Amino acid sequence: MKIAYDAKRVFSSVSGLGNYSRDLVRILSKVFPENQYILISKKTSDKGKQIVELSNVSHVKTSKGTLSRQFKMGIDAQNLGADIFHGLSGELPLKWNKRPTKKVVTIHDLIFERYPEYYTWLDRRIHFWKFKKAAVAADKIIAISEQTKRDVIDYLKVPESKIEVVYQGCHQSFKEKQPAEFLDQVKEKFQLPEKFILNVGTIEPRKNLLNIVKALKETQIPLVVVGTKKPKYFKLIEKEIKKGKVEVQFLQGVSMEELSAIYKLAEIFIYPSFFEGFGIPVIEALYSGTVVITSNTSCLPEAGGPDSVYIDPQNVADIRSKINFLWNNEPERKRRAEKGLEFVQKFNDGVIAKEVMKVYESLLNHKDSKAITKNTN
């Protein structure tokens, strides 16, 4: 089988969609090495270098021209003989030739519909148009959670039969046991507290760091935050930190291996987001053997499983009580972390690769069966 991908995010995005794109191609190439995987993009970068170096993965530049991703990439894939074209970030090319290439698109979330206040009117319209076009054109839609599947049905008016839920995985670093010496080096490099709780993610209103800071007021519990700052929202955070005299340390420029070490060093991982399509940081924490506190909303219970601790993200008192409960109860932290590690195995590479390949094969088998039926009539 020859599978082509819209690889823009493989080379352009540091986290989020970039991690999803790189990890998916990596695990498919490993679990199903007999296939050819073609990354198509206008530009490359070091972010995707390790993926392109895999023996069954190649990169092809999109044909030159205005809006080539929209009008040239699909035909490029068809001219390369691709059986499947997979749009990894909610989009598909607009133009195709007559070759019967099957089209798959992954939709991560429809937050722009659920929380329009986080987007401009124009951005919402553009996002909706692109996602709706892709959903109609696709032979199959991969939703990364049951929550996203429900949103695709409700907002894009897509029949349920067209959608398959395939969860996301995470980077291999979080699944590996790191030497104590490396953990000590990371702790020293970033001058981390002896004990701390951790939050990872973009510092923006939807991720709800503000309510973590409010909840930590007068607790004397240190917080470490790894994430990119959004200036306007970050000013509110700074103001609350000073007001509540909360000990907060912000880290940037952290490698994937260092981040996985920081997860392991943390006593608790907290992720009180108002809404997520999936919530990769939750499974990163679970793989790292760290207990999770997260929201009881959207898909987060799907990612966190039965032994994470759930909070109302709007309720500061609830967040504070759950933090104190775990912070002061080491046996409970350990018990929940062990159970969480068992649960998170459902997001292992092999499981995800087989589910995605099942989607691809179902489309090709369907095509073959239609051809047989046509020939026998």
Side-chain angles (χ1 to χ4, degrees):
M1 193 187 304
K2 191 180 284 189
I3 308 140
Y5 297 89
D6 175 354
K8 177 184 176 182
R9 300 291 183 175
V10 171
F11 301 105
S12 67
S13 299
V14 176
S15 57
L17 296 176
N19 284 338
Y20 171 80
S21 302
R22 287 183 290 270
D23 284 338
L24 183 61
V25 176
R26 173 183 59 80
I27 66 177
L28 284 170
S29 71
K30 178 183 174 183
V31 179
F32 297 99
E34 66 277 13
N35 298 320
Q36 295 179 54
Y37 304 92
I38 307 166
L39 306 182
I40 308 179
S41 67
K42 187 179 287 187
K43 298 177 182 178
T44 60
S45 73
D46 285 345
K47 298 181 188 72
K49 185 180 177 183
Q50 289 183 324
I51 306 302
V52 177
E53 287 174 349
L54 296 168
S55 62
N56 50 1
V57 177
S58 59
H59 175 261
V60 174
K61 276 199 170 186
T62 315
S63 293
K64 292 180 181 179
T66 306
L67 297 175
S68 58
R69 186 174 178 228
Q70 288 75 24
F71 295 107
K72 303 284 184 70
M73 184 183 286
I75 295 171
D76 288 340
Q78 292 176 308
N79 289 339
L80 290 165
D83 301 296
I84 301 279
F85 181 93
H86 190 163
L88 297 168
S89 55
E91 297 179 54
L92 284 173
L94 300 173
K95 196 168 183 181
W96 304 86
N97 63 29
K98 292 182 179 180
R99 181 184 164 86
T101 302
K102 293 297 182 178
K103 304 169 191 71
V104 178
V105 66
T106 297
I107 295 182
H108 297 261
D109 61 67
L110 294 171
I111 293 170
F112 57 88
E113 287 292 308
R114 281 190 162 271
Y115 290 89
E117 63 270 26
Y118 296 144
Y119 299 82
T120 66
W121 178 87
L122 182 59
D123 282 346
R124 292 200 308 274
R125 299 313 304 157
I126 291 171
H127 286 327
F128 182 84
W129 184 83
K130 289 194 297 187
F131 278 48
K132 179 68 174 177
K133 278 277 188 184
V136 170
D139 295 291
K140 275 290 182 181
I141 296 167
I142 291 177
I144 62 167
S145 65
E146 293 290 344
Q147 175 67 62
T148 295
K149 177 181 176 179
R150 291 193 294 273
D151 285 352
V152 169
I153 294 168
D154 292 344
Y155 291 112
L156 300 182
K157 308 305 179 189
V158 172
E160 185 175 0
S161 59
K162 197 174 186 178
I163 309 165
E164 299 292 339
V165 174
V166 182
Y167 290 113
Q168 291 182 252
C170 69
H171 196 277
Q172 187 62 28
S173 297
F174 301 97
K175 304 169 188 177
E176 294 170 352
K177 187 173 176 62
Q178 293 164 307
E181 295 80 13
F182 181 70
L183 298 182
D184 290 340
Q185 287 170 14
V186 171
K187 189 172 186 179
E188 185 177 346
K189 175 180 176 178
F190 294 104
Q191 294 295 290
L192 298 174
E194 190 61 34
K195 288 178 64 180
F196 61 92
I197 67 172
L198 175 66
N199 174 255
V200 175
T202 310
I203 301 170
E204 60 177 307
R206 179 171 57 86
K207 302 291 188 179
N208 199 24
L209 176 59
L210 185 61
N211 277 352
I212 302 177
V213 173
K214 288 179 178 179
L216 290 175
K217 184 180 177 182
E218 298 177 357
T219 64
Q220 309 300 312
I221 297 173
L223 170 67
V224 173
V225 179
V226 182
T228 307
K229 302 170 186 175
K230 299 281 183 168
K232 190 175 179 182
Y233 183 64
F234 187 66
K235 286 180 182 177
L236 292 176
I237 304 290
E238 285 185 311
K239 186 177 178 182
E240 195 62 40
I241 289 169
K242 290 174 184 175
K243 179 182 170 185
K245 297 179 181 177
V246 181
E247 183 185 337
V248 185
Q249 185 175 348
F250 294 94
L251 304 180
Q252 287 184 296
V254 179
S255 72
M256 202 65 79
E257 289 73 21
E258 290 168 338
L259 180 59
S260 63
I262 294 168
Y263 271 108
K264 292 176 179 71
L265 290 164
E267 302 294 321
I268 300 165
F269 176 71
I270 184 162
Y271 198 69
S273 176
F274 292 122
F275 192 90
E276 294 292 327
F278 181 61
I280 290 179
V282 169
I283 68 167
E284 289 174 346
L286 294 176
Y287 271 118
S288 301
T290 300
V291 66
V292 169
I293 297 174
T294 191
S295 303
N296 57 7
T297 59
S298 65
C299 66
L300 290 165
E302 289 181 65
D307 294 286
S308 292
V309 174
Y310 294 97
I311 48 91
D312 174 356
Q314 303 276 7
N315 189 328
V316 172
D318 186 32
I319 298 171
R320 182 183 294 117
S321 69
K322 300 292 173 52
I323 290 172
N324 282 326
F325 164 67
L326 286 178
W327 184 261
N328 297 315
N329 194 335
E330 185 178 357
E332 188 65 9
R333 290 200 306 272
K334 186 177 179 184
R335 184 189 73 81
R336 288 177 180 270
E338 288 173 352
K339 290 287 188 181
L341 187 57
E342 290 176 17
F343 166 79
V344 82
Q345 302 309 312
K346 69 184 286 186
F347 306 116
N348 272 343
D349 288 358
V351 175
I352 293 165
K354 286 171 187 173
E355 290 297 314
V356 173
M357 192 55 64
K358 195 188 297 182
V359 172
Y360 294 165
E361 289 174 344
S362 71
L363 291 175
L364 296 184
N365 291 339
H366 180 64
K367 180 182 73 174
D368 292 343
S369 65
K370 281 173 69 177
I372 291 167
T373 303
K374 186 176 180 181
N375 290 334
T376 55
N377 286 339

